Amino acid sequence: MSNCKLENLLDQQEIQMLMSEWQVPGVSIGIVHNGEVLLQQGFGYSDLEKQIQMTENTVMPIGSTSKSFTALALGMLVDEGLLDWDAPVRQYVPWFEMYDKRVSDLVTVRDLLCHRTGLPNHDVHGVFSNKTRKEMVHDIRYLQPNTSFRTKLHYQNQMVMLGGYIIEAITGKTWEEFVRTRVFEKLGMQRSVFSLDDMKTFDAYSLPYSPGPDGAMVTNYIPIVGMGPAGAINSTAADMVKYLQLQLGRGQFGEMRLVSEANLSQMHSAQMLGSPYFWKFDEISPANYGLGWFVDSYRGHKMVSHGGNTRGFSALMTLLPDENFGIIMLSNMDTSFMIYALTYNILDRMLGLSPIDWPTKIKAALEPLFAGGRMMMEQRAKERVEGTSPSHPLAAYAGVYEHPAYGSIDIQHDGSSLKGNYNGYELLINHYHYDTFDILILAMNLPYLITFQANAQGKIDQIVVQFEPTVDPIVFKQKA
């Protein structure tokens, strides 16, 4: 390892250049080595228009980086003898049920945290729900799997949410209460909270941004409530370096032990073998998964990491346990991979390895993904049959359509066109062809095609939409 001094690790000019190149308004960075905080500092702005500086104390969502906190909380319960990683979920939540009833008795807590239950993303259900956590756990029985149980790593949010609900079932405390009292307060993470409303009570919090043709533009926040254990934490670089110290300290923070070394090791060890995630690089091994963490090898060195993306924000937490080195990066740009490029550049310097042009390498790896998205939209435009019209008067499509897990789509006819909302989120609706319409969930700018279907009497009575691309279309029945 090279001399691990801050001036050898961080090039502030490089940070500014990358932020400009990737349209990132601000980034807050924390670096820890051998228990010492080498850096906690903000760069750029938390509010571009008002030119408010990003600092190490600026609060912002950390997204799926929250999953490791859920694993940590469950590990504490294992230490106390209240939970077994390999006990069936039904031991703690007797009414839990999977889509495949035969699997319901087999699913363990370990299965939930390493993404091997066979359930795909079902992200629309997770993000655009107004249900309670308990109701969302109940919904799992209606969510179709796309692979067999324990055969494939498929990253998934609902199962980690269930892990958080198990904490409540065992302790009587919500996931939020448990993590706040047993983790945040113990570590002194005083600016870490669970709701956007609480985030906005601080003197410094960041606006969310997404890329635009003329640079970063302010977008909207998306609240994460029921799905909280999978991604609801808002924090700061200064708070997160304390969490890095705990993780690198093998479960100990200063003189205080929060979790046993054995159970933290379970979290940091591969539990399910995966495949390259997003990209494939010779320098990084396939993305296996531990308990709440990805477990990889970076240029021959064990790497334990997790990213997080919510509307307008991207985060990345990276540990090299054998080198006792950790980095947290929080940024206010939607789905930004700049923080990966910067993290890997810092790791190269810290390890004394030959430099790699990670920005160029990552952009090249992402281009096929972006090209695939463009091709999909182009194909959709080609498949549209021009000159068709709906089979019924527009008023006949109005109504409330329900799915037991995905909630309700409310279609209204205003006299000349259709409008609607999905679980309270506004929909933009335009005719595509025949009885298929183009909808846009405005909160996330997400496009989908929905098809209205009629019963034997010719009355429109259901909507079919491919919200989850890897399973059968979701069918919404019209409410009587």
Side-chain angles (χ1 to χ4, degrees):
M1 188 191 305
S2 68
N3 188 3
C4 199
K5 293 183 178 179
L6 184 60
E7 58 268 25
N8 298 328
L9 296 177
L10 209 62
D11 182 335
Q12 300 212 13
Q13 186 176 358
E14 173 197 24
I15 294 174
Q16 299 295 339
M17 181 189 70
L18 287 175
M19 288 170 60
S20 175
E21 182 182 348
W22 295 65
Q23 295 187 16
V24 175
V27 61
S28 192
I29 304 174
I31 301 177
V32 173
H33 182 235
N34 287 335
E36 178 189 354
V37 178
L38 297 185
L39 175 79
Q40 44 185 20
Q41 184 178 344
F43 302 86
Y45 301 99
S46 60
D47 184 325
L48 274 176
E49 183 182 358
K50 296 181 180 177
Q51 296 283 281
I52 297 175
Q53 292 287 327
M54 179 75 79
T55 76
E56 69 274 18
N57 292 313
T58 302
V59 188
M60 63 189 112
I62 69 170
S64 287
T65 311
S66 306
K67 289 179 172 66
S68 66
F69 287 84
T70 301
L72 176 65
L74 289 165
M76 293 175 175
L77 296 181
V78 176
D79 283 339
E80 295 168 18
L82 298 174
L83 178 76
D84 185 327
W85 292 122
D86 298 306
V89 168
R90 280 188 160 179
Q91 183 171 316
Y92 310 106
V93 185
W95 48 267
F96 163 71
E97 200 169 289
M98 294 285 287
Y99 188 92
D100 183 344
K101 305 297 186 289
R102 298 168 300 175
V103 174
S104 304
D105 288 328
L106 304 177
V107 177
T108 67
V109 179
R110 189 186 302 274
D111 293 324
L112 305 181
L113 295 181
C114 66
H115 305 294
R116 63 185 187 194
T117 64
L119 210 62
N121 294 5
H122 286 288
D123 280 343
V124 172
H125 166 265
V127 175
F128 300 104
S129 178
N130 50 18
K131 297 182 180 181
T132 65
R133 187 163 301 146
K134 183 176 182 179
E135 289 171 334
M136 295 183 79
V137 170
H138 187 272
D139 286 349
I140 291 170
R141 67 194 62 196
Y142 303 114
L143 302 180
Q144 187 181 5
N146 69 342
T147 62
S148 300
F149 181 54
R150 290 182 185 158
T151 60
K152 183 180 179 181
L153 167 61
H154 197 132
Y155 186 79
Q156 217 280 328
N157 287 310
Q158 281 84 351
M159 292 291 115
V160 181
M161 179 265 295
L162 171 56
Y165 183 75
I166 288 171
I167 294 169
E168 183 175 347
I170 292 173
T171 68
K173 293 182 178 180
T174 64
W175 169 80
E176 289 86 351
E177 292 173 313
F178 190 95
V179 172
R180 181 174 58 250
T181 57
R182 297 287 299 273
V183 183
F184 291 170
E185 291 179 6
K186 298 291 186 185
L187 298 181
M189 297 174 67
Q190 298 178 352
R191 297 172 74 89
S192 298
V193 293
F194 304 95
S195 76
L196 293 171
D197 287 341
D198 286 343
M199 180 187 78
K200 293 174 185 176
T201 64
F202 290 104
D203 55 346
Y205 66 90
S206 181
L207 294 179
Y209 290 89
S210 63
D214 300 317
M217 59 184 188
V218 176
T219 185
N220 54 300
Y221 296 104
I222 295 289
I224 301 172
V225 183
M227 203 57 68
I233 291 175
N234 309 285
S235 189
T236 70
D239 272 6
M240 289 298 291
V241 295
K242 298 172 183 177
Y243 188 62
L244 292 178
Q245 289 172 315
L246 171 73
Q247 294 289 332
L248 293 169
R250 300 178 179 180
Q252 188 157 326
F253 182 74
E255 300 301 315
M256 175 176 50
R257 177 162 292 282
L258 267 68
V259 68
S260 67
E261 183 175 344
N263 274 316
L264 192 74
S265 178
Q266 291 275 309
M267 300 171 211
H268 291 182
S269 301
Q271 307 286 331
M272 189 62 184
L273 300 182
S275 58
Y277 205 68
F278 288 124
W279 48 52
K280 181 180 179 181
F281 297 129
D282 292 338
E283 296 84 359
I284 303 174
S285 67
N288 302 319
Y289 209 87
L291 301 178
W293 291 88
F294 283 100
V295 182
D296 311 284
S297 171
Y298 180 82
R299 302 185 75 175
H301 299 261
K302 180 179 179 180
M303 179 170 70
V304 179
S305 64
H306 214 291
N309 293 287
T310 60
R311 183 66 163 162
F313 298 93
S314 304
L316 179 61
M317 179 166 57
T318 307
L319 309 174
L320 296 188
D322 296 340
E323 285 72 27
N324 207 356
F325 186 82
I327 308 172
I328 180 69
M329 292 206 181
L330 306 177
S331 72
N332 54 3
M333 172 52 68
D334 205 325
T335 319
S336 175
F337 291 94
M338 183 214 83
I339 52 180
Y340 285 81
L342 182 55
T343 293
Y344 297 158
N345 281 352
I346 292 172
L347 294 184
D348 288 343
R349 294 183 187 122
M350 188 275 296
L351 293 167
L353 300 172
S354 56
I356 291 174
D357 183 0
W358 278 112
T360 300
K361 202 174 178 75
I362 289 174
K363 282 189 173 183
L366 290 173
E367 179 52 35
L369 295 177
F370 297 143
R374 291 192 297 268
M375 287 175 60
M376 185 177 70
M377 296 306 292
E378 290 169 4
Q379 184 66 23
R380 194 162 105 171
K382 287 179 184 177
E383 291 175 353
R384 183 182 182 190
V385 181
E386 298 286 350
T388 66
S389 58
S391 63
H392 292 58
L394 285 184
Y397 299 89
V400 177
Y401 300 80
E402 295 182 322
H403 181 273
Y406 273 79
S408 65
I409 298 176
D410 184 4
I411 305 292
Q412 299 118 30
H413 178 238
D414 65 4
S416 60
S417 61
L418 296 179
K419 60 181 182 178
N421 73 74
Y422 172 56
N423 292 333
Y425 288 89
E426 186 180 358
L427 299 177
L428 184 66
I429 306 176
N430 289 295
H431 184 247
Y432 179 72
H433 63 206
Y434 301 114
D435 283 338
T436 298
F437 288 74
D438 210 328
I439 67 167
L440 190 71
I441 305 177
L442 291 175
M444 293 274 282
N445 204 34
L446 288 174
Y448 294 95
L449 292 177
I450 66 171
T451 299
F452 291 86
Q453 295 180 341
N455 60 22
Q457 288 73 43
K459 182 182 183 300
I460 299 292
D461 70 345
Q462 66 181 29
I463 288 173
V464 177
V465 55
Q466 195 76 59
F467 274 150
E468 171 49 52
T470 65
V471 299
D472 295 336
I474 310 299
V475 179
F476 291 77
K477 302 279 190 180
Q478 189 171 46
K479 184 177 179 181

